[in-house]
Amino acid sequence: MDIKKVDIFEEVLASDKLGTFGAFSPYIVENLGDNPGILWDRIKWDPWTAMSIFEDMEDKDSTLFSCLEKRRDGVLALDRHIKPASDKRQDKKIAEFIEETLKDFWGGTGASLDAASHETPFESFLDEALEAVGDGVTIGEIIYGNASDRVFIEEVKFKPQQLFAFGDTALASFSTSLMRYPQTGRLHLRAGVTVENFTGEELPELKFFVFSYRTRKSNRWGSPLKRKCFWQTWIKRNGVKAWLRYAEKGSGTVIARYNDGAAEKERDDAVSAATAVQEQSAVAIPKKFLLDVQEMVRNIGTSHKELVDDYCNAEISRAVVGQTLTGRGSDGGGSRALGEVHERVESKKIEKDAKQIMAFVNQRIIRPLVFLNFGPGAKCPTWTLEYEQGEDLNTMAERYGKLRKDVGLPLSKKHLYEAFQTPEPEDEADTLGGETPEPEKTEDPLDAKTLEFAEKKTLKSGGRSSLKTARFKRLRPSMIRFSDE
């Protein structure tokens, strides 16, 4: 199929250009009901419906939301750098150009800081792109801008995943529970989506950012973590419903008895009387009604905590962040060593996410920018995240001190300022404490001449000494005084 040419400076999938798309509805989850078997079946074979179910899960489950946010924040907090392809002058210039473009031109010239969120547009882009960890895939349309000296990215507008399909045949948009079609092809509009005479054609990959998280069997819908948490979120929500119904019962279940063969109105009055007894502090009922209260014997409080917190929330935390301690506290107790182990597990998850997003940003963002500004022959720099845990500063200072003092290795001041995350002084007046004084030189109090003089003086004065003691003093100059006894 031919790829239709599009203007990279214009938005193709603008809201006012999209035609009717009846297959996608924000109320699809409500229409499916709350039967977990039906929802689970749709998640497995229908990725478009799964996206709506995933959104509903995250909106209603704070534990799932906080765990996914923890992984996103862990990646966003990492330091970011642009490394040139080589030490050649041209490659360094390209790296500086790309770094400047991402920092100062993303979002438009002069719009490097979003006053509302206090985040750079590029960081907001990373935040939304990392939703692929939970959903499996995120898709955004890249809107390029044209400045006097460069082509830059004006904005990346992420779109609902339900608009797209991955595949080269018509079957790509019709996966069923009986035939799960692996969507491994290029990006397409889903069948039924029209954009001003742009129907079903293969979309240009240069125009779209597609981040598939942990693809399996080349399926570009990825492996969503929310799918691993479906049953826990469903059990927890329905467990809370049962707990709320139990809480509404108060003292117990009120039973209003009426005679056999009673009319419908009499039965309704009996139900109203029972409801009044349950909800009101003072009621008036006819004598003919006999009311019983069945008290609840079982204590649901402890069992509810075991179900919701100890099982469901713990399973969600394990599935998303790999452990429970940093997400749910110590609960039954913990130790510093256990906390450090859990922290390392979480850092491994963040490292994996960082490597995933690095690969797609370099392929989908950096490479097109280099191609549009420098041509196909230019070497691309690498956008990197410093995901490795930093060394302890005290240990680092000791190591650098030994290299300088004991080995005599010359060290770069610039490297030391960066390693210790310390700004370099602008001038001598900006330096705290002035110049560093040189260490005072101290003489050894027991050098060879002093020992020889002391030995001779002792012999002349008739004191007791020995050559053995004098030799021992020469071998151990750090010892200040010895006994002549």
Side-chain angles (χ1 to χ4, degrees):
M1 183 181 292
D2 295 333
I3 301 176
K4 189 171 183 177
K5 294 182 179 180
V6 296
D7 187 353
I8 64 172
F9 302 102
E10 297 292 335
E11 184 179 1
V12 175
L13 301 182
S15 299
D16 56 347
K17 297 180 180 179
L18 283 171
T20 57
F21 183 36
F24 169 53
S25 170
Y27 303 104
I28 191 169
V29 178
E30 297 180 9
N31 296 332
L32 287 174
D34 203 26
N35 187 323
I38 295 176
L39 295 175
W40 177 245
D41 189 55
R42 296 297 291 267
I43 285 176
K44 289 192 297 183
W45 62 264
D46 186 355
W48 304 279
T49 303
M51 295 300 162
S52 299
I53 298 174
F54 292 159
E55 183 178 3
D56 184 71
M57 287 169 52
E58 187 173 357
D59 287 342
K60 295 179 179 178
D61 196 311
S62 60
T63 301
L64 177 62
F65 168 77
S66 62
C67 289
L68 290 170
E69 188 178 38
K70 182 185 291 291
R71 287 187 60 157
R72 287 198 302 268
D73 291 346
V75 177
L76 294 175
L78 300 175
D79 292 332
R80 302 184 282 268
H81 303 285
I82 297 289
K83 294 183 178 180
S86 69
D87 292 333
K88 294 182 179 180
R89 182 179 180 183
Q90 178 65 13
D91 293 337
K92 290 183 178 180
K93 283 187 175 182
I94 293 176
E96 293 174 359
F97 179 91
I98 296 299
E99 185 173 9
E100 181 186 27
T101 302
L102 296 181
K103 181 180 179 181
D104 298 330
F105 283 83
W106 189 297
T109 56
S112 59
L113 182 65
D114 186 352
S117 62
H118 301 286
E119 296 178 346
T120 61
F122 181 63
E123 186 167 353
S124 298
F125 154 78
L126 292 176
D127 188 13
E128 194 163 1
L130 285 167
E131 290 187 358
V133 176
D135 293 338
V137 64
T138 49
I139 305 171
E141 182 178 353
I142 304 174
I143 314 298
Y144 290 92
N146 195 2
S148 59
D149 62 338
R150 73 191 68 207
V151 174
F152 61 95
I153 294 177
E154 183 78 34
E155 188 177 2
V156 176
K157 294 187 177 182
F158 285 90
K159 307 293 181 179
Q161 298 93 323
Q162 293 92 334
L163 299 176
F164 304 96
F166 300 101
D168 298 326
T169 68
L171 291 177
S173 297
F174 297 99
S175 296
T176 67
S177 58
L178 300 177
M179 182 186 66
R180 299 175 189 172
Y181 186 85
Q183 301 202 19
T184 61
R186 294 178 62 87
L187 183 67
H188 287 70
L189 285 175
R190 183 183 173 185
V193 180
T194 60
V195 182
E196 290 188 356
N197 300 322
F198 192 98
T199 307
E201 285 91 348
E202 183 176 326
L203 296 171
E205 296 280 349
L206 179 66
K207 191 74 169 62
F208 289 86
F209 176 84
V210 182
F211 178 25
S212 299
Y213 179 75
R214 296 182 65 196
T215 57
R216 292 293 182 266
K217 300 179 178 62
S218 301
N219 192 340
R220 297 186 68 181
W221 284 101
S223 301
L225 283 181
K226 292 179 184 178
R227 185 167 60 197
K228 312 295 183 186
C229 304
F230 168 77
W231 285 106
Q232 289 76 20
T233 58
W234 186 89
I235 291 172
K236 184 166 68 170
R237 286 205 307 269
N238 285 269
V240 170
K241 289 180 181 178
W243 179 77
L244 291 174
R245 284 195 295 268
Y246 169 80
E248 289 177 354
K249 290 181 178 294
S251 58
T253 302
V254 180
I255 300 176
R257 303 183 184 278
Y258 52 84
N259 297 324
D260 295 338
E264 183 177 357
K265 183 179 183 304
E266 187 175 355
R267 293 196 299 268
D268 293 340
D269 291 341
V271 173
S272 299
T275 303
V277 171
Q278 179 76 14
E279 297 179 353
Q280 304 296 329
S281 58
V283 296
I285 58 174
K287 292 183 178 180
K288 60 181 179 181
F289 286 143
L290 297 177
L291 299 180
D292 295 331
V293 178
Q294 291 187 348
E295 296 183 358
M296 302 296 292
V297 178
R298 181 185 173 204
N299 183 5
I300 198 173
T302 304
S303 59
H304 172 72
K305 181 183 183 302
E306 292 174 353
L307 172 67
V308 172
D309 195 42
D310 297 344
Y311 173 71
C312 294
N313 287 342
E315 289 298 302
I316 292 172
S317 183
R318 289 189 184 96
V320 179
V321 296
Q323 41 80 25
T324 61
L325 192 57
T326 61
R328 301 175 59 241
S330 60
D331 290 338
S335 63
R336 180 178 178 180
L338 180 62
E340 291 176 352
V341 171
H342 283 213
E343 187 176 0
R344 286 196 296 269
V345 172
E346 183 181 347
S347 67
K348 290 296 181 183
K349 298 288 185 181
I350 294 174
E351 177 182 340
K352 181 174 65 175
D353 296 345
K355 291 179 178 179
Q356 290 264 328
I357 192 68
M358 280 168 52
F360 280 88
V361 168
N362 283 301
Q363 180 70 21
R364 303 284 179 177
I365 299 295
I366 304 301
R367 186 178 178 184
L369 283 175
V370 173
F371 173 80
L372 293 172
N373 287 282
F374 298 96
K379 294 183 179 179
C380 295
T382 304
W383 179 77
T384 59
L385 290 168
E386 300 296 336
Y387 52 80
E388 295 183 357
Q389 289 186 339
E391 185 179 358
D392 180 71
L393 293 182
N394 293 330
T395 305
M396 190 186 303
E398 293 178 2
R399 178 162 57 87
Y400 281 123
K402 290 181 180 180
L403 290 175
R404 181 75 177 110
K405 182 178 178 180
D406 299 342
V407 183
L409 183 68
L411 301 174
S412 168
K413 289 184 178 180
K414 181 178 179 182
H415 171 73
L416 291 178
Y417 281 120
E418 293 179 353
F420 288 95
Q421 301 178 4
T422 303
E424 185 176 358
E426 297 179 359
D427 49 31
E428 187 175 350
D430 188 40
T431 304
L432 181 64
E435 296 182 358
T436 304
E438 295 183 359
E440 296 182 359
K441 297 181 179 180
T442 57
E443 296 182 357
D444 189 351
L446 294 178
D447 56 12
K449 292 183 179 181
T450 304
L451 289 173
E452 185 178 357
F453 175 77
E455 182 181 355
K456 290 180 180 180
K457 186 175 180 180
T458 303
L459 292 174
K460 286 181 180 181
S461 61
R464 298 171 58 187
S465 182
S466 67
L467 295 177
K468 182 177 180 182
T469 303
R471 287 196 300 269
F472 185 71
K473 290 179 179 179
R474 292 189 181 96
L475 292 174
R476 297 294 302 274
S478 61
M479 300 179 65
I480 304 301
R481 303 180 63 180
F482 297 88
S483 174
D484 290 334
E485 297 181 359

Short mmCIF file of all heavy atoms in Angstrom, two decimals, residues 12 54 141 150 159 185 189 208 236 249 272 303 333 344 364 392 401:
data_model
loop_
_atom_site.label_atom_id
_atom_site.label_comp_id
_atom_site.label_asym_id
_atom_site.label_seq_id
_atom_site.Cartn_x
_atom_site.Cartn_y
_atom_site.Cartn_z
N VAL A 12 -2.25 16.24 10.98
CA VAL A 12 -3.08 15.38 10.13
C VAL A 12 -4.35 14.95 10.87
O VAL A 12 -5.45 15.03 10.33
CB VAL A 12 -2.28 14.15 9.67
CG1 VAL A 12 -3.18 13.21 8.89
CG2 VAL A 12 -1.09 14.58 8.82
N PHE A 54 -8.49 0.00 30.62
CA PHE A 54 -7.29 0.41 31.35
C PHE A 54 -7.46 1.81 31.95
O PHE A 54 -7.06 2.07 33.09
CB PHE A 54 -6.08 0.39 30.44
CG PHE A 54 -5.67 -1.00 30.01
CD1 PHE A 54 -4.90 -1.19 28.88
CD2 PHE A 54 -6.05 -2.11 30.75
CE1 PHE A 54 -4.51 -2.47 28.48
CE2 PHE A 54 -5.67 -3.40 30.37
CZ PHE A 54 -4.90 -3.56 29.23
N GLU A 141 1.24 12.35 17.40
CA GLU A 141 1.57 12.96 16.12
C GLU A 141 2.55 14.11 16.33
O GLU A 141 2.33 14.99 17.16
CB GLU A 141 0.31 13.48 15.42
CG GLU A 141 0.61 14.08 14.05
CD GLU A 141 -0.63 14.57 13.32
OE1 GLU A 141 -1.74 14.33 13.83
OE2 GLU A 141 -0.47 15.19 12.26
N ARG A 150 16.63 26.22 11.49
CA ARG A 150 16.45 24.81 11.82
C ARG A 150 15.00 24.39 11.66
O ARG A 150 14.08 25.23 11.68
CB ARG A 150 16.90 24.54 13.26
CG ARG A 150 15.97 25.08 14.33
CD ARG A 150 16.61 25.01 15.70
NE ARG A 150 17.73 25.94 15.79
CZ ARG A 150 18.77 25.77 16.59
NH1 ARG A 150 18.84 24.69 17.34
NH2 ARG A 150 19.74 26.64 16.62
N LYS A 159 -2.52 10.86 20.78
CA LYS A 159 -3.88 10.54 20.31
C LYS A 159 -4.40 9.29 21.00
O LYS A 159 -3.62 8.46 21.48
CB LYS A 159 -3.87 10.31 18.79
CG LYS A 159 -3.24 11.43 17.98
CD LYS A 159 -4.05 12.72 18.06
CE LYS A 159 -3.42 13.82 17.23
NZ LYS A 159 -4.21 15.07 17.29
N GLY A 185 2.58 -4.94 11.80
CA GLY A 185 2.91 -4.12 10.64
C GLY A 185 3.14 -2.66 10.98
O GLY A 185 3.32 -2.28 12.14
N LEU A 189 -4.42 3.90 10.07
CA LEU A 189 -5.67 4.27 10.70
C LEU A 189 -6.54 3.03 10.83
O LEU A 189 -6.55 2.18 9.94
CB LEU A 189 -6.40 5.33 9.88
CG LEU A 189 -5.84 6.76 9.93
CD1 LEU A 189 -6.61 7.64 8.97
CD2 LEU A 189 -5.94 7.32 11.34
N PHE A 208 4.93 10.33 13.19
CA PHE A 208 4.30 9.84 14.41
C PHE A 208 5.34 9.23 15.33
O PHE A 208 6.29 8.58 14.90
CB PHE A 208 3.22 8.80 14.09
CG PHE A 208 2.00 9.38 13.45
CD1 PHE A 208 1.93 9.55 12.08
CD2 PHE A 208 0.92 9.79 14.23
CE1 PHE A 208 0.81 10.11 11.48
CE2 PHE A 208 -0.20 10.34 13.65
CZ PHE A 208 -0.26 10.51 12.27
N LYS A 236 -10.81 -5.89 44.24
CA LYS A 236 -10.80 -4.85 45.27
C LYS A 236 -12.04 -3.96 45.18
O LYS A 236 -12.67 -3.65 46.20
CB LYS A 236 -9.54 -4.00 45.14
CG LYS A 236 -9.40 -2.96 46.23
CD LYS A 236 -8.00 -2.38 46.29
CE LYS A 236 -7.70 -1.55 45.08
NZ LYS A 236 -6.44 -0.79 45.25
N LYS A 249 -25.73 -1.78 56.79
CA LYS A 249 -26.67 -2.57 57.58
C LYS A 249 -26.73 -2.13 59.03
O LYS A 249 -27.72 -2.36 59.72
CB LYS A 249 -26.30 -4.06 57.50
CG LYS A 249 -26.55 -4.68 56.13
CD LYS A 249 -26.19 -6.14 56.13
CE LYS A 249 -26.49 -6.78 54.78
NZ LYS A 249 -27.94 -6.79 54.48
N SER A 272 -41.20 -0.76 53.48
CA SER A 272 -40.98 0.63 53.89
C SER A 272 -40.78 0.73 55.39
O SER A 272 -39.94 1.49 55.88
CB SER A 272 -42.18 1.50 53.48
OG SER A 272 -42.34 1.48 52.07
N SER A 303 -11.24 -9.20 57.72
CA SER A 303 -11.21 -9.91 56.45
C SER A 303 -11.18 -8.94 55.28
O SER A 303 -10.56 -9.23 54.24
CB SER A 303 -12.42 -10.84 56.33
OG SER A 303 -13.62 -10.09 56.42
N GLY A 333 6.30 -4.76 59.48
CA GLY A 333 7.65 -4.57 59.99
C GLY A 333 8.66 -4.74 58.90
O GLY A 333 8.42 -5.39 57.89
N ARG A 344 16.55 -1.33 45.53
CA ARG A 344 17.33 -1.78 44.37
C ARG A 344 16.43 -2.44 43.33
O ARG A 344 16.64 -2.27 42.12
CB ARG A 344 18.43 -2.74 44.82
CG ARG A 344 19.59 -2.07 45.53
CD ARG A 344 20.79 -2.99 45.59
NE ARG A 344 20.54 -4.18 46.38
CZ ARG A 344 20.77 -4.28 47.69
NH1 ARG A 344 21.23 -3.23 48.35
NH2 ARG A 344 20.53 -5.40 48.33
N ARG A 364 12.82 7.80 17.10
CA ARG A 364 11.65 8.53 16.61
C ARG A 364 11.77 10.04 16.72
O ARG A 364 11.00 10.76 16.08
CB ARG A 364 10.41 8.08 17.39
CG ARG A 364 10.14 6.59 17.34
CD ARG A 364 9.55 6.19 16.01
NE ARG A 364 9.30 4.76 15.94
CZ ARG A 364 8.72 4.17 14.90
NH1 ARG A 364 8.33 4.90 13.87
NH2 ARG A 364 8.54 2.87 14.89
N ASP A 392 28.46 7.03 46.31
CA ASP A 392 28.42 7.87 47.49
C ASP A 392 29.51 8.92 47.40
O ASP A 392 30.68 8.63 47.08
CB ASP A 392 28.62 6.99 48.73
CG ASP A 392 28.58 7.79 50.02
OD1 ASP A 392 27.50 8.25 50.40
OD2 ASP A 392 29.67 7.98 50.61
N GLY A 401 40.96 11.43 46.24
CA GLY A 401 42.08 11.88 47.06
C GLY A 401 43.27 10.93 46.96
O GLY A 401 44.43 11.37 46.88
#
